[in-house]
Amino acid sequence: MMSLDAVRKAVGPRFPIECRISGDDLTETGLDMEGCAEVAKMIEDKVDLFQVSCGNHEDPDVFCRTHPSAFYPRGVNVYLAANIKKHVKKPVACVGSLNDPAQMEEIIASGQADIVELGRALLADPYIPDKALHDRADDITPCLRCYECFGETMKSEAVKCTVNPIMGQQLSAKYVSEKPKRSKKVLIAGGGPAGMEAAITLAARGHKVTLAEKSGELGGNLHPAGAAKFKEDIRKLCEVLKNRVARADIQVVLNTEVTPEYVRRFAPDVLFVAIGSKELCPPIPGMELPHVIMAVDAELHPKKLGKKVAVMGGGLVGSEAAVSFHQKGHEVSIIEMKPEVALEVNSFYRGGLMPEIEKAAKCYTSAKVLEILPEGVKVEKEGREFVIEADSVVCALGFRAPYAEVDALCDEADESYIVGDCRNVAQIYHAVNQAYYAAMNV
Ligand SMILES: Cc1cc2nc3c(=O)[nH]c(=O)nc-3n(C[C@H](O)[C@H](O)[C@H](O)COP(=O)(O)OP(=O)(O)OC[C@H]3O[C@@H](n4cnc5c(N)ncnc54)[C@H](O)[C@@H]3O)c2cc1C
Ligand SMILES: Cc1cc2nc3c(=O)[nH]c(=O)nc-3n(C[C@H](O)[C@H](O)[C@H](O)COP(=O)(O)O)c2cc1C
Ligand code: SF4
């Protein structure tokens, strides 16, 4: 109360004050919905607008509700704004993982809130209001709720974004980027996120772009990455990038593997190599058995899985696959050599993922796969050997960059750039950002 009085004194009577409050602290020691409504009533005469969040930024258990993770439906906290609205007359705004203009309209039209506020959605696409206004919602770059913006903030104090490479570099993007002196003939090998982002950026810079993709569709590993129910944001990103490629002046050739011979015949001024990674398939005894399925195949074709599934490898791919298979009705185990699963995952995302893994799978950590048997997986844990029963065994033991293939392609072009997973196996953030900045160099 005293802080608000001090703020009012400092800004004067005509300056609007928006006060962010919690609609529910979601902890036993915090305020519940009723308590938060009491606070709103107490300060109503001191503020002009309420913004209703929830949880607590500093509490890892509820961080993923304050900044809702992909495991929650979009707009999961709107009901809290609606509750505050019942108790006050001043306008009330809601916030939390909103990015669909139709949903925002509905929230306001139904009277749940007076204003919709956006955080990460605007980092991912600062043009959402303009796109909503001009009926271009299908071109909104979706926030993936991956928390890379928080990760980057902790590392470098700059806010970066997985899907918006300009984030954190707006000034140089606006004033410093020089237009190319001449239009070049560019060949891009690989139509995953790296290849598509490079193609879109190069075409916008006026180059003559051909995007060649080995398979029958663009998207690359965005397809398995977006296969789980809770990865709808990645599915949307894939569609948005594909639509942008289709709208741009880009020649797309599908079912076309770029080989050194292809590059030689094509004779590009510039070659982009964006051919992605290969799944690791270690020589574990029994890998050749018919119930062993690679992680990408399992994500894309879950019908191949039997009732009991053992996932070898508890990194991001294995852990999320386990959650996804559980949601599809399978009984899942994860076998991981490290002492915990999902250890390399962004810590903020991990906060949302871990409770889902706990619900979804029995985790055998510090456990080594010895052999795959027809009835399951033989493991060794703390000196003890035993068999984890499984009808299907999913291999999620990592990926590698195909450096020999990459080098052979680069040898055929005077100017070449290597972007995405074939440069260094990583994530969409690296694929999109590397591709954009390499393309801005051409
Ligand atoms: C199951 C799974 C879940 C994932 N989840 C996430 C996640 O939640 N968040 C995240 O950030 N990342 C995730 N990733 C990683 C992310 O998908 C990759 O980092 C990203 O797709 C890499 O993009 P890329 O364009 O470099 O390669 P890719 O997406 O692999 O695309 C490469 C493309 O090149 C094509 N190609 C290959 N060779 C040739 C050739 N010689 N000529 C022409 N075309 C060729 C391929 O067919 C493919 O379409 C996940 C990956 C998987 C497999
Ligand atoms: C990079 C970043 C920094 C943030 N910093 C603050 C902050 O300093 N104070 C605050 O109250 N909220 C902060 N937030 C939270 C947002 O205001 C917002 O409530 C939250 O991200 C949920 O909305 P969203 O899902 O639309 O992002 C931050 C969010 C992001 C992404
Ligand atoms: S980094 Fe990830 S969570 Fe943050 S705004 Fe971008 S897409 Fe959203």
Side-chain angles (χ1 to χ4, degrees), residues 6-19:
V7 171
R8 175 58 72 206
K9 196 168 164 206
V11 300
R14 293 173 59 79
F15 193 91
I17 297 177
E18 175 181 28
C19 184

Side-chain angles (χ1 to χ4, degrees), residues 310 333-336 362-373 375-390:
S333 320
I334 301 176
I335 305 154
E336 168 57 48
K362 182 154 176 41
C363 295
Y364 296 89
T365 50
S366 305
K368 188 178 169 197
V369 173
L370 298 175
E371 186 179 358
I372 303 165
L373 305 168
E375 68 272 24
V377 183
K378 188 174 174 188
V379 299
E380 187 262 324
K381 180 176 161 71
E382 290 152 6
R384 202 166 62 85
E385 290 183 13
F386 55 97
V387 174
I388 297 166
E389 279 182 30

Side-chain angles (χ1 to χ4, degrees), residues 260-283:
E261 171 59 21
Y262 186 97
V263 180
R264 217 172 303 138
R265 270 191 285 115
F266 193 95
D269 296 323
V270 182
L271 172 70
F272 270 67
V273 184
I275 60 175
S277 57
K278 304 265 187 261
E279 282 182 284
L280 281 175
C281 188

Side-chain angles (χ1 to χ4, degrees), residues 331-353:
E331 288 170 26
V332 190
S333 320
I334 301 176
I335 305 154
E336 168 57 48
M337 269 179 78
K338 292 187 186 145
E340 286 178 57
V341 296
L343 262 185
E344 83 287 12
V345 176
N346 170 311
S347 61
F348 299 99
Y349 186 73
R350 192 170 188 266
L353 177 62

Side-chain angles (χ1 to χ4, degrees), residues 61-117:
D61 287 343
V62 287
F63 180 93
C64 289
R65 274 294 295 275
T66 310
H67 320 79
S69 75
F71 297 103
Y72 293 107
R74 288 201 175 275
V76 60
N77 295 332
V78 173
Y79 74 100
L80 297 170
N83 181 53
I84 297 295
K85 222 174 120 51
K86 284 186 207 145
H87 294 88
V88 297
K89 292 199 174 55
K90 294 270 172 70
V92 174
C94 60
V95 67
S97 84
L98 295 159
N99 82 340
D100 173 9
Q103 185 186 17
M104 297 179 215
E105 287 275 0
E106 172 56 25
I107 290 165
I108 293 173
S110 62
Q112 295 178 83
D114 303 298
I115 297 176
V116 169
E117 300 196 2

Side-chain angles (χ1 to χ4, degrees), residues 20 51 66-68 95-98 118-120 123 149-150 153 159:
R20 166 133 157 171
Q51 185 199 133
T66 310
H67 320 79
V95 67
S97 84
L98 295 159
L118 312 178
R120 290 166 294 171
L123 301 182
C149 40
F150 291 100
T153 307
V159 173

